[in-house]
mmCIF file of all heavy atoms in Angstrom:
data_model
loop_
_atom_site.group_PDB
_atom_site.id
_atom_site.type_symbol
_atom_site.label_atom_id
_atom_site.label_comp_id
_atom_site.label_asym_id
_atom_site.label_seq_id
_atom_site.Cartn_x
_atom_site.Cartn_y
_atom_site.Cartn_z
ATOM 1 N N ALA A 1 -36.025 -46.714 80.411
ATOM 2 C CA ALA A 1 -36.860 -45.783 81.179
ATOM 3 C C ALA A 1 -37.306 -44.616 80.304
ATOM 4 O O ALA A 1 -38.464 -44.173 80.384
ATOM 5 C CB ALA A 1 -36.102 -45.288 82.407
ATOM 6 N N ALA A 2 -36.417 -44.112 79.451
ATOM 7 C CA ALA A 2 -36.762 -43.001 78.559
ATOM 8 C C ALA A 2 -37.816 -43.427 77.536
ATOM 9 O O ALA A 2 -38.746 -42.665 77.245
ATOM 10 C CB ALA A 2 -35.507 -42.484 77.855
ATOM 11 N N VAL A 3 -37.684 -44.640 77.005
ATOM 12 C CA VAL A 3 -38.670 -45.140 76.034
ATOM 13 C C VAL A 3 -40.033 -45.285 76.708
ATOM 14 O O VAL A 3 -41.058 -44.859 76.164
ATOM 15 C CB VAL A 3 -38.217 -46.478 75.412
ATOM 16 C CG1 VAL A 3 -39.347 -47.122 74.623
ATOM 17 C CG2 VAL A 3 -36.998 -46.271 74.534
ATOM 18 N N ILE A 4 -40.060 -45.864 77.891
ATOM 19 C CA ILE A 4 -41.318 -46.037 78.623
ATOM 20 C C ILE A 4 -41.951 -44.683 78.923
ATOM 21 O O ILE A 4 -43.158 -44.500 78.767
ATOM 22 C CB ILE A 4 -41.095 -46.860 79.904
ATOM 23 C CG1 ILE A 4 -40.767 -48.305 79.527
ATOM 24 C CG2 ILE A 4 -42.321 -46.806 80.822
ATOM 25 C CD1 ILE A 4 -40.247 -49.146 80.675
ATOM 26 N N HIS A 5 -41.130 -43.721 79.307
ATOM 27 C CA HIS A 5 -41.645 -42.370 79.569
ATOM 28 C C HIS A 5 -42.291 -41.790 78.308
ATOM 29 O O HIS A 5 -43.393 -41.225 78.374
ATOM 30 C CB HIS A 5 -40.517 -41.456 80.051
ATOM 31 C CG HIS A 5 -40.911 -40.031 80.167
ATOM 32 N ND1 HIS A 5 -41.682 -39.568 81.215
ATOM 33 C CD2 HIS A 5 -40.678 -38.971 79.361
ATOM 34 C CE1 HIS A 5 -41.904 -38.267 81.034
ATOM 35 N NE2 HIS A 5 -41.307 -37.894 79.922
ATOM 36 N N GLU A 6 -41.624 -41.920 77.169
ATOM 37 C CA GLU A 6 -42.175 -41.394 75.919
ATOM 38 C C GLU A 6 -43.468 -42.108 75.537
ATOM 39 O O GLU A 6 -44.415 -41.473 75.059
ATOM 40 C CB GLU A 6 -41.146 -41.484 74.793
ATOM 41 C CG GLU A 6 -39.969 -40.550 74.965
ATOM 42 C CD GLU A 6 -40.383 -39.085 75.066
ATOM 43 O OE1 GLU A 6 -41.264 -38.635 74.293
ATOM 44 O OE2 GLU A 6 -39.825 -38.389 75.917
ATOM 45 N N LEU A 7 -43.531 -43.405 75.737
ATOM 46 C CA LEU A 7 -44.767 -44.134 75.452
ATOM 47 C C LEU A 7 -45.900 -43.653 76.353
ATOM 48 O O LEU A 7 -47.031 -43.466 75.894
ATOM 49 C CB LEU A 7 -44.556 -45.641 75.631
ATOM 50 C CG LEU A 7 -43.653 -46.319 74.604
ATOM 51 C CD1 LEU A 7 -43.411 -47.764 75.000
ATOM 52 C CD2 LEU A 7 -44.229 -46.221 73.207
ATOM 53 N N ASP A 8 -45.594 -43.437 77.630
ATOM 54 C CA ASP A 8 -46.599 -42.901 78.559
ATOM 55 C C ASP A 8 -47.104 -41.540 78.099
ATOM 56 O O ASP A 8 -48.300 -41.238 78.191
ATOM 57 C CB ASP A 8 -46.027 -42.772 79.971
ATOM 58 C CG ASP A 8 -45.900 -44.099 80.691
ATOM 59 O OD1 ASP A 8 -46.552 -45.075 80.278
ATOM 60 O OD2 ASP A 8 -45.145 -44.144 81.685
ATOM 61 N N GLN A 9 -46.211 -40.705 77.585
ATOM 62 C CA GLN A 9 -46.582 -39.370 77.132
ATOM 63 C C GLN A 9 -47.467 -39.406 75.891
ATOM 64 O O GLN A 9 -48.174 -38.459 75.595
ATOM 65 C CB GLN A 9 -45.321 -38.538 76.839
ATOM 66 C CG GLN A 9 -44.476 -38.267 78.058
ATOM 67 C CD GLN A 9 -45.222 -37.503 79.131
ATOM 68 O OE1 GLN A 9 -45.804 -36.456 78.872
ATOM 69 N NE2 GLN A 9 -45.236 -38.038 80.330
ATOM 70 N N ARG A 10 -47.419 -40.497 75.168
ATOM 71 C CA ARG A 10 -48.187 -40.635 73.920
ATOM 72 C C ARG A 10 -49.352 -41.610 74.073
ATOM 73 O O ARG A 10 -49.719 -42.310 73.144
ATOM 74 C CB ARG A 10 -47.237 -41.076 72.805
ATOM 75 C CG ARG A 10 -46.303 -39.950 72.400
ATOM 76 C CD ARG A 10 -45.122 -40.421 71.608
ATOM 77 N NE ARG A 10 -44.297 -39.335 71.137
ATOM 78 C CZ ARG A 10 -43.484 -38.594 71.889
ATOM 79 N NH1 ARG A 10 -43.379 -38.823 73.179
ATOM 80 N NH2 ARG A 10 -42.775 -37.623 71.371
ATOM 81 N N SER A 11 -49.923 -41.649 75.272
ATOM 82 C CA SER A 11 -51.136 -42.421 75.583
ATOM 83 C C SER A 11 -50.952 -43.926 75.497
ATOM 84 O O SER A 11 -51.899 -44.649 75.237
ATOM 85 C CB SER A 11 -52.284 -41.986 74.670
ATOM 86 O OG SER A 11 -52.560 -40.628 74.862
ATOM 87 N N TRP A 12 -49.752 -44.413 75.713
ATOM 88 C CA TRP A 12 -49.529 -45.851 75.790
ATOM 89 C C TRP A 12 -49.459 -46.288 77.247
ATOM 90 O O TRP A 12 -49.091 -47.412 77.549
ATOM 91 C CB TRP A 12 -48.225 -46.233 75.093
ATOM 92 C CG TRP A 12 -48.299 -46.213 73.603
ATOM 93 C CD1 TRP A 12 -48.706 -45.182 72.821
ATOM 94 C CD2 TRP A 12 -47.957 -47.259 72.715
ATOM 95 N NE1 TRP A 12 -48.626 -45.512 71.500
ATOM 96 C CE2 TRP A 12 -48.162 -46.785 71.407
ATOM 97 C CE3 TRP A 12 -47.477 -48.542 72.895
ATOM 98 C CZ2 TRP A 12 -47.912 -47.566 70.295
ATOM 99 C CZ3 TRP A 12 -47.226 -49.309 71.779
ATOM 100 C CH2 TRP A 12 -47.452 -48.821 70.492
ATOM 101 N N GLY A 13 -49.802 -45.402 78.160
ATOM 102 C CA GLY A 13 -49.669 -45.674 79.582
ATOM 103 C C GLY A 13 -50.504 -46.833 80.072
ATOM 104 O O GLY A 13 -50.177 -47.457 81.075
ATOM 105 N N ASP A 14 -51.592 -47.140 79.385
ATOM 106 C CA ASP A 14 -52.444 -48.246 79.796
ATOM 107 C C ASP A 14 -51.911 -49.596 79.332
ATOM 108 O O ASP A 14 -52.363 -50.631 79.792
ATOM 109 C CB ASP A 14 -53.864 -48.057 79.260
ATOM 110 C CG ASP A 14 -54.541 -46.837 79.863
ATOM 111 O OD1 ASP A 14 -54.151 -46.429 80.975
ATOM 112 O OD2 ASP A 14 -55.447 -46.303 79.227
ATOM 113 N N ALA A 15 -50.955 -49.578 78.425
ATOM 114 C CA ALA A 15 -50.399 -50.827 77.910
ATOM 115 C C ALA A 15 -49.536 -51.487 78.982
ATOM 116 O O ALA A 15 -48.941 -50.823 79.818
ATOM 117 C CB ALA A 15 -49.564 -50.554 76.664
ATOM 118 N N ASN A 16 -49.465 -52.799 78.938
ATOM 119 C CA ASN A 16 -48.655 -53.544 79.883
ATOM 120 C C ASN A 16 -47.220 -53.577 79.367
ATOM 121 O O ASN A 16 -46.889 -54.363 78.491
ATOM 122 C CB ASN A 16 -49.208 -54.963 80.044
ATOM 123 C CG ASN A 16 -48.507 -55.727 81.139
ATOM 124 O OD1 ASN A 16 -47.805 -55.145 81.955
ATOM 125 N ND2 ASN A 16 -48.698 -57.022 81.159
ATOM 126 N N VAL A 17 -46.376 -52.703 79.896
ATOM 127 C CA VAL A 17 -44.987 -52.601 79.462
ATOM 128 C C VAL A 17 -44.142 -53.557 80.284
ATOM 129 O O VAL A 17 -44.189 -53.540 81.510
ATOM 130 C CB VAL A 17 -44.460 -51.154 79.622
ATOM 131 C CG1 VAL A 17 -42.995 -51.073 79.245
ATOM 132 C CG2 VAL A 17 -45.287 -50.197 78.782
ATOM 133 N N ILE A 18 -43.362 -54.383 79.613
ATOM 134 C CA ILE A 18 -42.473 -55.313 80.298
ATOM 135 C C ILE A 18 -41.175 -54.559 80.605
ATOM 136 O O ILE A 18 -40.495 -54.104 79.695
ATOM 137 C CB ILE A 18 -42.156 -56.538 79.422
ATOM 138 C CG1 ILE A 18 -43.430 -57.265 79.016
ATOM 139 C CG2 ILE A 18 -41.212 -57.477 80.149
ATOM 140 C CD1 ILE A 18 -43.203 -58.363 78.007
ATOM 141 N N LYS A 19 -40.846 -54.432 81.878
ATOM 142 C CA LYS A 19 -39.621 -53.729 82.266
ATOM 143 C C LYS A 19 -38.508 -54.735 82.508
ATOM 144 O O LYS A 19 -38.699 -55.726 83.198
ATOM 145 C CB LYS A 19 -39.869 -52.896 83.524
ATOM 146 C CG LYS A 19 -40.879 -51.788 83.284
ATOM 147 C CD LYS A 19 -41.119 -50.973 84.524
ATOM 148 C CE LYS A 19 -42.177 -49.918 84.230
ATOM 149 N NZ LYS A 19 -42.482 -49.132 85.398
ATOM 150 N N ASN A 20 -37.346 -54.477 81.899
ATOM 151 C CA ASN A 20 -36.169 -55.338 82.020
ATOM 152 C C ASN A 20 -36.507 -56.802 81.708
ATOM 153 O O ASN A 20 -36.265 -57.691 82.523
ATOM 154 C CB ASN A 20 -35.555 -55.219 83.411
ATOM 155 C CG ASN A 20 -35.172 -53.793 83.737
ATOM 156 O OD1 ASN A 20 -34.610 -53.099 82.901
ATOM 157 N ND2 ASN A 20 -35.491 -53.357 84.932
ATOM 158 N N PRO A 21 -37.069 -57.066 80.528
ATOM 159 C CA PRO A 21 -37.497 -58.428 80.201
ATOM 160 C C PRO A 21 -36.324 -59.365 79.928
ATOM 161 O O PRO A 21 -35.278 -58.946 79.423
ATOM 162 C CB PRO A 21 -38.320 -58.235 78.937
ATOM 163 C CG PRO A 21 -37.686 -57.053 78.281
ATOM 164 C CD PRO A 21 -37.292 -56.141 79.427
ATOM 165 N N SER A 22 -36.533 -60.616 80.232
ATOM 166 C CA SER A 22 -35.590 -61.657 79.834
ATOM 167 C C SER A 22 -35.960 -62.104 78.423
ATOM 168 O O SER A 22 -37.014 -61.734 77.893
ATOM 169 C CB SER A 22 -35.671 -62.838 80.794
ATOM 170 O OG SER A 22 -36.933 -63.471 80.657
ATOM 171 N N GLU A 23 -35.120 -62.913 77.832
ATOM 172 C CA GLU A 23 -35.440 -63.447 76.504
ATOM 173 C C GLU A 23 -36.734 -64.255 76.566
ATOM 174 O O GLU A 23 -37.579 -64.158 75.667
ATOM 175 C CB GLU A 23 -34.300 -64.314 76.002
ATOM 176 C CG GLU A 23 -34.520 -64.858 74.611
ATOM 177 C CD GLU A 23 -33.365 -65.687 74.087
ATOM 178 O OE1 GLU A 23 -32.279 -65.667 74.688
ATOM 179 O OE2 GLU A 23 -33.565 -66.374 73.068
ATOM 180 N N ALA A 24 -36.911 -65.023 77.635
ATOM 181 C CA ALA A 24 -38.132 -65.819 77.797
ATOM 182 C C ALA A 24 -39.364 -64.921 77.903
ATOM 183 O O ALA A 24 -40.411 -65.231 77.340
ATOM 184 C CB ALA A 24 -38.020 -66.715 79.025
ATOM 185 N N ASP A 25 -39.241 -63.797 78.616
ATOM 186 C CA ASP A 25 -40.351 -62.846 78.732
ATOM 187 C C ASP A 25 -40.731 -62.299 77.356
ATOM 188 O O ASP A 25 -41.915 -62.194 77.021
ATOM 189 C CB ASP A 25 -39.993 -61.670 79.642
ATOM 190 C CG ASP A 25 -39.784 -62.055 81.080
ATOM 191 O OD1 ASP A 25 -40.407 -63.032 81.549
ATOM 192 O OD2 ASP A 25 -38.988 -61.358 81.750
ATOM 193 N N LEU A 26 -39.732 -61.930 76.573
ATOM 194 C CA LEU A 26 -39.994 -61.372 75.242
ATOM 195 C C LEU A 26 -40.648 -62.400 74.323
ATOM 196 O O LEU A 26 -41.589 -62.076 73.593
ATOM 197 C CB LEU A 26 -38.699 -60.856 74.624
ATOM 198 C CG LEU A 26 -38.080 -59.652 75.319
ATOM 199 C CD1 LEU A 26 -36.711 -59.356 74.730
ATOM 200 C CD2 LEU A 26 -38.980 -58.438 75.237
ATOM 201 N N LEU A 27 -40.151 -63.630 74.360
ATOM 202 C CA LEU A 27 -40.743 -64.683 73.527
ATOM 203 C C LEU A 27 -42.180 -64.975 73.937
ATOM 204 O O LEU A 27 -43.057 -65.135 73.082
ATOM 205 C CB LEU A 27 -39.903 -65.951 73.596
ATOM 206 C CG LEU A 27 -38.554 -65.878 72.878
ATOM 207 C CD1 LEU A 27 -37.714 -67.101 73.200
ATOM 208 C CD2 LEU A 27 -38.745 -65.706 71.385
ATOM 209 N N ALA A 28 -42.437 -65.035 75.245
ATOM 210 C CA ALA A 28 -43.797 -65.285 75.726
ATOM 211 C C ALA A 28 -44.725 -64.148 75.309
ATOM 212 O O ALA A 28 -45.865 -64.385 74.887
ATOM 213 C CB ALA A 28 -43.798 -65.450 77.241
ATOM 214 N N ASN A 29 -44.243 -62.921 75.394
ATOM 215 C CA ASN A 29 -45.046 -61.768 74.994
ATOM 216 C C ASN A 29 -45.332 -61.813 73.495
ATOM 217 O O ASN A 29 -46.452 -61.577 73.050
ATOM 218 C CB ASN A 29 -44.325 -60.475 75.366
ATOM 219 C CG ASN A 29 -45.144 -59.250 75.044
ATOM 220 O OD1 ASN A 29 -46.233 -59.073 75.560
ATOM 221 N ND2 ASN A 29 -44.629 -58.404 74.176
ATOM 222 N N TRP A 30 -44.316 -62.127 72.712
ATOM 223 C CA TRP A 30 -44.474 -62.178 71.266
ATOM 224 C C TRP A 30 -45.447 -63.273 70.853
ATOM 225 O O TRP A 30 -46.322 -63.060 70.013
ATOM 226 C CB TRP A 30 -43.105 -62.403 70.629
ATOM 227 C CG TRP A 30 -43.128 -62.437 69.137
ATOM 228 C CD1 TRP A 30 -43.301 -61.371 68.297
ATOM 229 C CD2 TRP A 30 -42.991 -63.584 68.310
ATOM 230 N NE1 TRP A 30 -43.272 -61.790 66.998
ATOM 231 C CE2 TRP A 30 -43.084 -63.149 66.970
ATOM 232 C CE3 TRP A 30 -42.795 -64.928 68.568
ATOM 233 C CZ2 TRP A 30 -42.986 -64.016 65.904
ATOM 234 C CZ3 TRP A 30 -42.703 -65.798 67.492
ATOM 235 C CH2 TRP A 30 -42.789 -65.334 66.177
#
């Protein structure tokens, strides 16, 4: 949550942030 907050503060708010990803979610994203 703290990392996401910092990203939002630095104009990354429009990016699609994966919250609580599984290993499969991370691999699919990568």
Side-chain angles (χ1 to χ4, degrees):
V3 169
I4 291 168
H5 172 76
E6 291 302 317
L7 291 174
D8 285 341
Q9 295 300 308
R10 289 164 175 73
S11 300
W12 285 54
D14 295 335
N16 187 15
V17 177
I18 302 172
K19 296 180 182 178
N20 302 316
S22 67
E23 183 178 348
D25 294 330
L26 293 172
L27 289 171
N29 183 60
W30 182 73

